[in-house]
Amino acid sequence: ALLLLTRATSLSFSVRRATGASISSRVNAFYREHGYAALAKPHESLLVIDERESDAIAGAARLVTQHDGVLFLRGVFVAPAWRRRGVGTMLARAATEQSVQDGRPCFTCAFDDVSPLYARAGFAVLDEAPASVQSVFDTVSRQQRRKHKRVVLMGRGFAPSPLRPVQDADSGALEGRGAAPATADDAPRAAPLS
């Protein structure tokens, strides 16, 4: 299915979900072109945002089902020319929308500086997670710590806990649910898993 989205800024994108060798090789070429280390595999569900006028990839993401059935959003990458225009948020939301509607929560390991993007897409910082998710997070966190980068575990599709007010980075106004946090420390927190 092809979903056409038109942004308020008159930018027009087509959003496609696909699997297979052809699309994964196209996404991998996009990743390599921008020096991104992730690699898409043919069996993964990929989401690609194409610029409609040129068919150039503006962003891509991988929705990976782990061996235990847990969904992980990985490899979210937006081309530098399309950053800070809402493409990343659109990508993260669109990639996980159907699974969340089906009652399947989705997890991601987000760099602290881009956690607001995931918060705008409906993700919340998690204090705890299933063992398989915690294992992935611990591995990614260790790898990134060596590079002096902070990673936070976030999830979408959980009942949110009450949110504390978040200060909007642009206006300085205090807002509740839906505000874009400045860092993961300010991001919404999900209720504990039962």
Side-chain angles (χ1 to χ4, degrees), residues 124-125 127 158-166 176-177 186-192:
V125 174
D127 293 322
F158 298 93
S161 60
L163 301 179
R164 61 183 182 274
V166 176
R177 183 177 308 276
D186 298 327
R189 298 231 176 249

Side-chain angles (χ1 to χ4, degrees), residues 39-193:
L39 288 178
K41 295 161 187 69
H43 67 277
E44 295 175 343
S45 178
L46 301 172
L47 198 80
V48 178
I49 294 184
D50 292 315
E51 182 186 353
R52 287 181 59 207
E53 293 80 27
S54 68
D55 201 37
I57 295 178
R62 300 165 32 225
L63 191 58
V64 180
T65 303
Q66 294 189 160
H67 64 86
D68 58 358
V70 171
L71 291 174
F72 244 99
L73 181 61
R74 305 192 70 172
V76 176
F77 187 83
V78 175
W82 293 104
R83 291 182 185 158
R84 307 203 57 76
R85 297 184 189 194
V87 173
T89 299
M90 185 185 342
L91 191 59
R93 185 180 298 122
T96 58
E97 192 66 37
Q98 187 61 52
S99 61
V100 169
Q101 287 177 5
D102 293 342
R104 294 185 67 196
C106 184
F107 300 90
T108 195
C109 298
F111 291 117
D112 187 48
D113 61 333
V114 294
S115 61
L117 173 153
Y118 291 99
R120 287 189 299 272
F123 283 79
V125 174
L126 301 175
D127 293 322
E128 58 182 66
S132 64
V133 172
Q134 191 65 50
S135 175
V136 170
F137 174 72
D138 290 345
T139 299
V140 170
S141 186
R142 243 186 334 274
Q143 291 168 344
Q144 296 305 322
R145 201 173 307 124
R146 288 186 213 123
K147 299 175 186 178
H148 305 288
K149 294 184 178 183
R150 183 171 173 230
V151 179
V152 293
L153 180 61
M154 299 185 82
R156 182 168 185 229
F158 298 93
S161 60
L163 301 179
R164 61 183 182 274
V166 176
Q167 188 165 10
D168 184 280
D170 296 326
S171 69
L174 291 178
E175 298 184 25
R177 183 177 308 276
T183 68
D185 292 332
D186 298 327
R189 298 231 176 249
L193 301 173

Side-chain angles (χ1 to χ4, degrees), residues 2-5 12-16 48-52:
L2 186 66
L3 171 66
L4 299 178
L5 299 174
S12 193
F13 300 99
S14 64
V15 180
R16 297 182 289 127
V48 178
I49 294 184
D50 292 315
E51 182 186 353
R52 287 181 59 207

